[in-house]
Amino acid sequence: MDWDKLRIFHAVADAGSLTHAGNTLHLSQSAVSRQIRALEEMLNATLFHRHARGLMLTEQGELLHDATRVMARRLDAAAARIRDSEEEVFGELRVTTTTGFGCLFLAPRLPALYAKYPGLKIDLILDERVLDLPMREADLAIRMKEPSQADLIRKRLMTVRMRLYASPEYLKKNGTPERMSDMSSHRLICQNAMSPQVSAGAILIQELLSYELPSLLTINNYFGVLQAVLSNLGIGVLPDYLVDDFPQLVRVLPDTESSDVPVFLAYPEELRQTKRVQAFRDFVVSELATHRQRLRDSGHDI
């Protein structure tokens, strides 16, 4: 196939308009249209439906767009690796992790990374959904279970447990439960047991819900649970790594916790030598080492 025609097709498919694609490619609308017609003739297929609001891909066009999307991502990755020098770390890095970990642990620590590498452009994708790294939906992932996808470099970063926490103000007003049955006098704040989350957390929540609770607040991520706990609404199920940044949290029912949740960092084999990936990996490992040392120094159970 003619690579130039595929490049123009990809721009039109992304833009949904000959005019917008032409502006991106610095070509006239008529030049773009000629290239698309030539590609359709070459493939003996109609790639776009024309309508008043622009262009819509046909079924054949969707198939070709899937292929050019993969090609574009791989070309972008190759270009970034070529641009990477031994001294510099720069360029875009798409990092995916859960909403809770991204908001509560990772984002507050990013100023140190940007201070060291101001040329980095991080696209932080917070999603409970597991993105496909080999298909380049993201460059690097931090996930609460070991990735199952092939051709990934993976590193175990830490172990997390879900525990019960409350604010001092809430406990002063409502008392501190001493046994699990005492939860029947308190409001529980947690994720819905059926919502996407680590299985260990869901199991702990199911156990807590087996008791007769007078009031319940469910939120679809740990960031929301934390905000509700800090607002003195009740006792929340939260990951233990929060105690470093939120020392005001009081642990409730110390014998109640989830099983271990492993945290992994993963990225495609093809990005192994990419400087920005190496820099981000080393940054996360260093921040977690500092985090664990602070917990030891403060006497927290890790």
Side-chain angles (χ1 to χ4, degrees):
M1 283 190 188
D2 186 322
W3 286 91
D4 199 46
K5 288 183 176 60
L6 290 175
R7 177 177 66 89
I8 293 171
F9 163 80
H10 184 73
V12 173
D14 278 351
S17 160
L18 295 174
T19 302
H20 293 157
N23 291 338
T24 301
L25 298 168
H26 305 293
L27 296 172
S28 67
Q29 178 180 341
S30 59
V32 173
S33 181
R34 283 196 302 272
Q35 293 289 346
I36 295 299
R37 282 200 305 271
L39 182 59
E40 289 180 324
E41 290 172 4
M42 180 189 306
L43 295 172
N44 192 27
T46 300
L47 300 175
F48 293 99
H49 293 302
R50 278 76 173 174
H51 58 84
R53 291 177 297 173
L55 300 177
M56 181 180 297
L57 287 165
T58 63
E59 183 177 353
Q60 292 87 348
E62 291 280 5
L63 289 172
L64 187 59
H65 192 216
D66 287 343
T68 59
R69 187 184 296 115
V70 173
M71 290 163 52
R73 286 172 178 166
R74 291 192 177 276
L75 286 170
D76 287 345
R81 288 180 62 182
I82 292 168
R83 289 195 303 268
D84 277 348
S85 71
E86 292 184 0
E87 295 81 21
E88 293 182 285
V89 174
F90 62 92
E92 184 180 9
L93 183 66
R94 291 169 296 161
V95 178
T96 179
T97 189
T98 61
T99 302
F101 189 83
C103 289
L104 299 173
F105 188 91
L106 187 56
R109 289 167 170 78
L110 288 180
L113 181 65
Y114 277 114
K116 189 173 183 180
Y117 303 114
L120 269 180
K121 299 177 182 178
I122 296 174
D123 180 11
L124 190 55
I125 307 166
L126 304 182
D127 200 330
E128 308 310 309
R129 186 170 55 95
V130 176
L131 301 188
D132 192 328
L133 297 185
M135 289 299 292
R136 301 305 309 281
E137 289 186 332
D139 299 315
L140 184 148
I142 299 175
R143 284 293 169 189
M144 307 301 140
K145 65 176 182 178
E146 184 170 6
S148 59
Q149 293 165 301
D151 300 324
L152 293 181
I153 296 172
R154 62 205 72 198
K155 178 178 178 59
R156 185 163 179 160
L157 296 174
M158 63 190 294
T159 296
V160 172
R161 292 189 183 97
M162 305 301 164
R163 292 171 172 170
L164 292 169
Y165 296 96
S167 67
E169 292 82 358
Y170 174 83
L171 296 176
K172 182 178 180 180
K173 181 179 179 180
N174 298 278
T176 301
E178 297 182 359
R179 59 187 66 84
M180 188 74 85
S181 58
D182 292 342
M183 287 296 295
S184 61
S185 302
H186 294 272
R187 178 180 298 112
L188 179 66
I189 308 169
C190 61
Q191 288 189 265
N192 186 300
M194 303 305 293
S195 65
Q197 61 182 302
V198 296
S199 59
I203 291 170
L204 175 59
I205 290 169
Q206 287 171 345
E207 180 184 356
L208 291 165
L209 293 178
S210 68
Y211 292 85
E212 188 172 341
L213 302 174
S215 184
L216 176 67
L217 172 62
T218 59
I219 304 175
N220 68 342
N221 61 66
Y222 289 120
F223 179 75
V225 173
L226 174 65
Q227 298 309 308
V229 169
L230 295 177
S231 298
N232 312 317
L233 274 174
I235 297 174
V237 178
L238 288 165
D240 59 2
Y241 59 75
L242 291 177
V243 296
D244 186 21
D245 294 327
F246 298 91
Q248 70 270 40
L249 291 174
V250 178
R251 188 174 177 190
V252 175
L253 298 175
D255 293 332
T256 301
E257 62 182 12
S258 75
S259 57
D260 288 351
V261 179
V263 180
F264 282 85
L265 180 146
Y267 51 92
E269 174 72 34
E270 66 194 67
L271 297 181
R272 178 192 290 270
Q273 301 302 324
T274 305
K275 297 297 178 183
R276 64 192 186 283
V277 169
Q278 294 174 351
F280 188 88
R281 176 200 61 203
D282 294 345
F283 158 75
V284 171
V285 170
S286 175
E287 287 294 323
L288 285 171
T290 302
H291 165 74
R292 285 193 294 269
Q293 188 58 54
R294 282 200 295 263
L295 291 182
R296 291 190 189 98
D297 292 345
S298 60
H300 286 289
D301 175 20
I302 60 172

